[in-house]
């Protein structure tokens, strides 16, 4: 709507134009046509009467009425023009319907209020003057009627206000109500779009969180189980090779395979127990985002127990007895233990045991530590770094040694751990596979290197892996030690 009242591409109610010309709907066009026809008939009749009183040909009055009345057709497009035409024909005492409908449309439109007030005032003034002159002429024609001087102006003013105020006030009310409804509708549409956007974002975040948790849990299960199973396969291959030549060594390898199997079963049972606990908490509305960390803690405790079992035949027998008890005999994961998952996990002090397991499987592994404090053992004494840092280093070494068992049987491996200022570095490098070594036939899912990289980068570290010039393979990781503890 322009300052002159011209609507630009919208209907009377602000809706997009879909009807003929400037009408939003066909029924609006029909209504305006009916009003224009009625106004034309009224103006033609009143124009003929005015022409007769002014001693003009009646045809002139009829033509004037027929020109002024149909202006109501453009009231939705140019309401100001309609009101100006109605003001122009007031002296001819015609256009009552034209003036009433025009003022209503003008007040209900988006024309500035100062223009609406000005045109309404002009209509009142024109009606006042015309009515006063008409009443004065009638009074003068009656010599026996002498009204007070204030009566004629008062009656003229009252008639002007009665003919002008109701359509203007009603139009203002309808326009205000229409704008309020439109604003509420726009606000509701905006809120609906915002809620839809928030719901989409929440769904995306939930899906991302589910995928992240699924990936983390899969990575933990891969790390804690793949190493055990790989060692079992290596020992089984060695057992098959020496079963007839060296029965004593075959018996020893069989015992190691059994120990490794029981260890893997124990870890699986405890991890499944943690997952059930996490699922139950999720059903009750509790957050289960700590499940991977608790899985790592469970794997750490099972690994520590497995190490003791490997070094102690009596403990192996006890473990076998416990393993035969079925899943019911697995120690449940207590709530305090789950709450302390961040403080538990594989530590650097357990690297020696991890390397010892690979040596027991026939691999030649060298472990060196640079920068260790005086009096500390080779791996490290106690917990010097934050649990996530030590756990990540342990998992990198574990997965790297597992890959050596899988892809380079018989190769020599070297594990280097460096304590530097502000960072902790680890490197696992193996030489080329010896031609005489039997391939254990271990399958590879391609997730080991990916999991190591995810672990290291999640802590802000750097991970590099690739083949060496000698035909081996090297895995290196550097982790920030800013979270080191005393």
């Amino acid at each position: 709507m322009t300052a002159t009242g011209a609507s630009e591409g919208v209907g009377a109610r602000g809706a997009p134009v879909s009807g003929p010309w400037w009408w939003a709907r066909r029924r609006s066009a029909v209504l305006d046509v009916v009003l224009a026809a009625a106004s034309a008939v009224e103006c033609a009749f009143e124009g003929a009467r005015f022409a007769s009183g002014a001693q003009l040909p009646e045809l002139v009055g009829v033509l004037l009425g027929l020109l002024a009345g149909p202006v109501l057709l453009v009231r939705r497009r140019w309401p100001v023009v309609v009101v100006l035409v109605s003001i122009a024909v007031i002296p001819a005492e015609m256009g009552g319907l034209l003036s009433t409908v025009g003022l209503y449309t003008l007040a209900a439109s988006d024309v500035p209020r100062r223009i609406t007030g000005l045109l309404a005032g002009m209509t009142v003034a024109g009606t006042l003057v015309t009515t006063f002159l008409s009443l004065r002429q009638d009074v003068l024609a009656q010599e026996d009627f002498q009204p007070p001087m204030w009566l004629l102006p008062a009656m003229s003013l009252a008639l002007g206000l009665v003919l002008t105020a109701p359509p203007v006030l009603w139009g203002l009310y309808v326009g205000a109500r229409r704008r309020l409804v439109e604003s509420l509708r726009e606000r509701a549409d905006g809120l609906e779009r915002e809620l839809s956007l928030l719901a989409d974002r929440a769904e995306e975040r939930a899906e991302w969180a589910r995928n992240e948790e699924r990936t983390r849990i899969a990575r933990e299960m891969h790390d804690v189980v793949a190493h055990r199973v790989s060692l079992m396969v290596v020992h089984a291959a060695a057992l098959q090779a020496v079963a007839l030549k060296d029965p004593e060594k075959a018996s020893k390898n069989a015992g190691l395979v059994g120990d490794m199997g029981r260890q893997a079963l124990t870890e699986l049972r405890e991890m499944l127990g943690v997952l059930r606990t996490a699922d139950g908490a999720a059903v009750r509305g509790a957050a289960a985002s700590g499940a991977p960390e608790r899985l790592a803690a469970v794997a750490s405790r099972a690994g520590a127990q497995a190490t003791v079992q490997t070094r102690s035949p009596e403990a192996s027998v006890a473990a076998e007895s416990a393993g035969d008890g079925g899943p019911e005999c697995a120690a449940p994961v207590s709530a305090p233990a789950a709450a302390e998952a961040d403080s538990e996990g594989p530590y650097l002090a357990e690297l020696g045991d991890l390397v010892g397991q690979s040596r027991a499987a026939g691999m030649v592994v060298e472990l060196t530590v640079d920068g260790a404090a005086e009096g500390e053992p080779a791996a490290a004494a106690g917990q010097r770094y934050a649990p996530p840092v030590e756990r990540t280093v342990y998992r990198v070494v574990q997965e790297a040694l597992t890959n050596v068992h899988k892809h380079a049987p018989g190769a020599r491996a070297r594990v280097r751990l460096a304590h530097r200022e502000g960072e902790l570095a680890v490197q696992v490098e193996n030489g080329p596979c010896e031609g005489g070594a039997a391939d254990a036939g271990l399958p590879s899912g391609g997730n080991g290197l990916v999991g190591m990289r995810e672990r290291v980068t999640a802590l802000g570290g750097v991970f590099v892996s690739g083949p060496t010039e000698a035909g081996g393979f090297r895995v290196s990781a550097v982790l920030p030690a800013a979270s080191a503890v005393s």
Side-chain angles (χ1 to χ4, degrees), residues 226-317:
H227 182 70
R228 303 287 184 202
V229 176
S230 298
L231 292 180
M232 288 173 59
V233 175
V234 171
H235 283 298
L239 174 61
Q240 184 179 9
V242 301
L244 299 177
K245 299 179 182 180
D246 192 348
E248 182 179 356
K249 187 175 182 180
S251 176
K252 180 180 179 181
N253 286 338
L256 291 175
V257 170
D259 290 340
M260 291 295 175
R262 283 185 289 271
Q263 294 162 19
L265 286 175
T266 301
E267 292 175 1
L268 281 175
R269 288 169 182 168
E270 297 204 11
M271 283 188 296
L272 291 176
V274 171
L275 287 177
R276 291 193 188 96
T277 304
D279 291 341
V283 171
R284 292 189 298 270
S289 60
E293 286 75 6
R294 289 193 288 171
L295 287 174
V298 169
S300 173
R301 291 195 299 272
Q305 295 172 2
T307 303
V308 174
Q309 292 173 3
T310 304
R311 293 196 296 257
S312 174
E314 294 79 1
S316 298
V317 175

Side-chain angles (χ1 to χ4, degrees), residues 130-465:
T130 302
T131 304
F132 178 78
L133 294 178
S134 178
L135 291 177
R136 187 171 179 274
Q137 185 178 1
D138 293 341
V139 169
L140 291 178
Q142 300 179 4
E143 298 179 356
D144 55 344
F145 181 64
Q146 298 294 330
M149 296 182 59
W150 57 268
L151 181 61
L152 295 182
M155 292 181 62
S156 302
L157 179 61
L159 183 60
L161 292 177
V162 168
L163 295 178
T164 304
V168 172
L169 294 178
W170 182 250
L172 291 175
Y173 165 74
V174 171
R177 181 177 179 273
R178 180 183 304 156
R179 285 186 290 273
L180 176 61
V181 171
E182 291 176 356
S183 66
L184 292 177
R185 183 181 295 112
E186 292 176 358
R187 183 179 302 177
D189 293 340
L191 290 176
E192 184 177 358
R193 288 191 299 270
E194 185 176 354
L195 289 176
S196 177
L197 182 60
L198 290 176
D200 293 341
R201 290 181 178 176
E203 182 64 25
E204 291 176 359
R205 287 195 298 267
E207 183 65 24
W208 177 86
R210 286 193 294 267
N211 292 335
E212 189 70 14
E213 284 301 307
R214 194 177 295 115
T215 302
R216 293 173 62 187
I217 293 174
R219 184 170 61 241
E220 290 293 341
M221 295 187 69
H222 173 272
D223 289 345
V224 300
V225 177
H227 182 70
R228 303 287 184 202
V229 176
S230 298
L231 292 180
M232 288 173 59
V233 175
V234 171
H235 283 298
L239 174 61
Q240 184 179 9
V242 301
L244 299 177
K245 299 179 182 180
D246 192 348
E248 182 179 356
K249 187 175 182 180
S251 176
K252 180 180 179 181
N253 286 338
L256 291 175
V257 170
D259 290 340
M260 291 295 175
R262 283 185 289 271
Q263 294 162 19
L265 286 175
T266 301
E267 292 175 1
L268 281 175
R269 288 169 182 168
E270 297 204 11
M271 283 188 296
L272 291 176
V274 171
L275 287 177
R276 291 193 188 96
T277 304
D279 291 341
V283 171
R284 292 189 298 270
S289 60
E293 286 75 6
R294 289 193 288 171
L295 287 174
V298 169
S300 173
R301 291 195 299 272
Q305 295 172 2
T307 303
V308 174
Q309 292 173 3
T310 304
R311 293 196 296 257
S312 174
E314 294 79 1
S316 298
V317 175
E320 184 176 2
S321 301
D324 293 337
E328 297 80 10
C329 297
V333 180
S334 62
E340 297 175 358
D342 284 338
S343 62
E344 297 181 351
Y347 297 140
L348 297 181
E350 302 176 27
L351 282 181
D353 297 333
L354 179 63
V355 171
Q357 294 174 11
S358 294
R359 288 172 179 167
M363 180 189 298
V364 179
V365 187
E366 178 185 356
L367 173 63
T368 59
V369 179
D370 299 333
E374 183 178 359
E376 288 186 350
Q383 180 180 348
R384 296 185 55 201
Y385 301 92
V389 175
E390 297 199 5
R391 185 162 56 240
T392 299
V393 172
Y394 183 93
R395 295 304 185 196
V396 168
V397 175
Q398 183 185 53
E399 181 61 28
L401 293 178
T402 302
N403 288 339
V404 176
H405 284 292
K406 288 181 179 180
H407 307 294
R412 300 174 62 92
R414 183 181 183 186
V415 180
R416 294 185 57 190
L417 184 67
H419 300 273
R420 303 172 183 171
E421 184 177 357
E423 63 183 18
L424 178 62
V426 63
Q427 182 183 91
V428 181
E429 180 179 353
N430 63 274
C433 177
E434 294 185 2
D439 189 357
L442 290 167
S444 176
N447 298 318
L449 293 177
V450 175
M452 286 190 282
R453 185 182 302 277
E454 290 175 351
R455 285 181 177 277
V456 173
T457 55
L459 297 180
V462 178
F463 178 82
V464 179
S465 64

